[in-house]
């Protein structure tokens, strides 16, 4: 399955209200979302057939659409149901869900006032974002050249296609040099996040993570902070300067796709994954398991 291009797979995709054969879920080349990045999306994980934090993801999809000035023509409950249908149609036990909404083809220019809003949900099997062995040992990360833009230049809290142009460029540049990912600074030169995940550091048993004032405050980030508090770990959310990376002993990243993944180096800075990272990896793995009803 892994080598089959995404447009040539079998099964069904939920597309504007119904499940359609995978190969038929197509858009025209003159689609506003494709030319002007008027597209919002989510990335969700399926564990044991259940979508983890589905409602939170759907709510963020609606928030992102609203931020881009369009309305998803379904209710939140309907999109939740669409996600479940897409997962069931593919018989996904452990995998990924990608709901997305975009402006169609009615107008083709910067202005797209009359464009239809399209919505689709696809699901596929997807075991690990990073190599499972590397996840524990720690992935090697480069420093990205591009920076997270200021909130005055782009709606930075939306999960929107346009924000990922510099993420793809940064990840490609890192991969070319043999790294797994890249750490992005923000427009002020402060530590921000990875190309598709948030970042945490550890020093003297205290967790430090950048304040999400110009990037996504990830659902996994918040989940892991709750798990850390349950363990009694102190968490400091603050501005972190890149020069401080030399002071931290551990580093890990969080994201729906990345889950909790240890980091062994970021550019010139080295880290050694240890107890706190491993405990939170284990706690997260336990947390995402489908809850068995005892009723
Ligand atoms: N930052 C970026 C740029 C991302 O793409 C993601 C993944 N959605 C995250 C952070 C983490 O968000 P979440 O934990 O909600 O998946």
């Amino acid at each position: 399955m892994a080598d089959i291009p995404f447009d040539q797979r079998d099964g069904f995709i939920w597309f504007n209200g119904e499940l359609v054969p995978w190969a038929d879920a197509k858009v025209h080349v003159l689609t506003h979302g494709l030319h002007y990045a008027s597209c919002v999306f989510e990335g969700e994980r399926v564990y044991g057939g259940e979508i983890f934090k589905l409602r939170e993801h759907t709510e963020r999809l609606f928030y992102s659409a609203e931020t881009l000035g369009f309305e998803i023509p379904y209710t939140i409950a309907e999109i939740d149901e669409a996600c479940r249908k897409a997962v069931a149609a593919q018989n996904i036990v452990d995998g990924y869900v990608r709901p997305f909404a975009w402006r169609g083809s009615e107008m083709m220019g910067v202005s797209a006032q009359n464009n239809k809003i399209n919505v689709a949900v696809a699901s596929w099997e997807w075991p690990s974002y990073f190599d499972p062995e590397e996840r524990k040992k720690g992935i090697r990360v480069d420093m990205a050249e591009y920076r997270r833009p200021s909130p005055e230049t782009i709606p930075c809290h939306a999960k929107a296609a346009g924000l990922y142009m510099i993420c793809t460029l940064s990840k490609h540049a890192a991969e070319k040099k043999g790294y797994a990912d890249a750490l992005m600074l923000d427009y002020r030169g402060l530590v921000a996040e990875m190309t598709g995940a948030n970042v945490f550091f550890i020093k003297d048993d205290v967790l430090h993570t950048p304040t999400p004032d110009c990037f996504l405050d990830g659902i996994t980030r918040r989940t892991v902070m709750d798990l850390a508090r349950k363990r009694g770990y102190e968490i400091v959310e603050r501005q972190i300067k890149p020069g401080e990376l030399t002071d931290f002993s551990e580093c890990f990243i969080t994201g729906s796709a990345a889950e909790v993944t240890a980091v062994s180096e970021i550019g010139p800075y080295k880290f050694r994954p240890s107890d706190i990272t491993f405990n939170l990896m284990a706690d997260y793995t336990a947390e995402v398991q489908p809850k068995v009803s005892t009723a």
Side-chain angles (χ1 to χ4, degrees), residues 63 67 148-160 163 193 212-217:
Y63 166 80
T67 305
R148 302 311 303 161
S150 124
E152 288 161 348
T153 60
I154 202 155
C156 58
H157 296 293
K159 192 164 165 63
L163 283 147
E193 59 169 354
D213 58 6
C214 64
F215 56 87
L216 222 52
D217 178 8

Side-chain angles (χ1 to χ4, degrees), residues 38-185:
S38 53
C39 174
V40 295
F41 66 102
E42 272 306 313
E44 305 163 4
R45 277 270 187 184
V46 184
Y47 297 97
E50 297 276 328
I51 304 169
F52 183 61
K53 302 227 164 160
L54 170 60
R55 179 51 65 95
E56 275 182 56
H57 281 283
T58 306
E59 283 174 352
R60 187 168 69 186
L61 184 75
F62 277 68
Y63 166 80
S64 299
E66 195 188 317
T67 305
L68 263 66
F70 64 78
E71 202 175 312
I72 291 177
Y74 300 94
T75 62
I76 287 180
E78 283 169 338
I79 297 301
D80 277 355
E81 192 50 30
C83 292
R84 287 192 204 99
K85 277 188 181 153
V87 169
Q90 295 306 104
N91 289 315
I92 302 296
V93 179
D94 292 304
Y96 188 75
V97 193
R98 168 58 58 86
F100 48 115
W102 69 98
R103 289 192 162 105
S105 307
E106 288 73 12
M107 289 171 73
M108 205 48 195
V110 174
S111 178
Q113 304 279 5
N114 301 330
N115 288 29
K116 177 182 166 186
I117 304 307
N118 298 275
V119 188
V121 186
S123 182
W124 56 86
E125 268 174 29
W126 201 21
S128 186
Y129 189 55
F130 294 107
D131 179 77
E133 276 311 301
E134 293 284 307
R135 269 189 68 213
K136 279 193 225 124
K137 238 172 56 189
I139 56 164
R140 296 178 57 244
V141 173
D142 196 11
M143 294 291 287
E145 278 187 25
Y146 283 103
R147 292 182 171 200
R148 302 311 303 161
S150 124
E152 288 161 348
T153 60
I154 202 155
C156 58
H157 296 293
K159 192 164 165 63
L163 283 147
Y164 284 86
M165 179 177 67
I166 54 174
C167 298
T168 298
L169 289 172
S170 302
K171 184 135 176 152
H172 282 186
E175 285 175 344
K176 225 172 162 179
K177 293 199 253 168
Y179 291 101
D181 206 343
L183 175 76
M184 302 181 85
L185 303 181

Side-chain angles (χ1 to χ4, degrees), residues 60 159 164 193 195-198 216 218-221 254-256:
R60 187 168 69 186
K159 192 164 165 63
Y164 284 86
E193 59 169 354
T195 61
N198 294 116
L216 222 52
I219 292 167
T220 320
R221 177 184 184 276
T254 63
S256 299

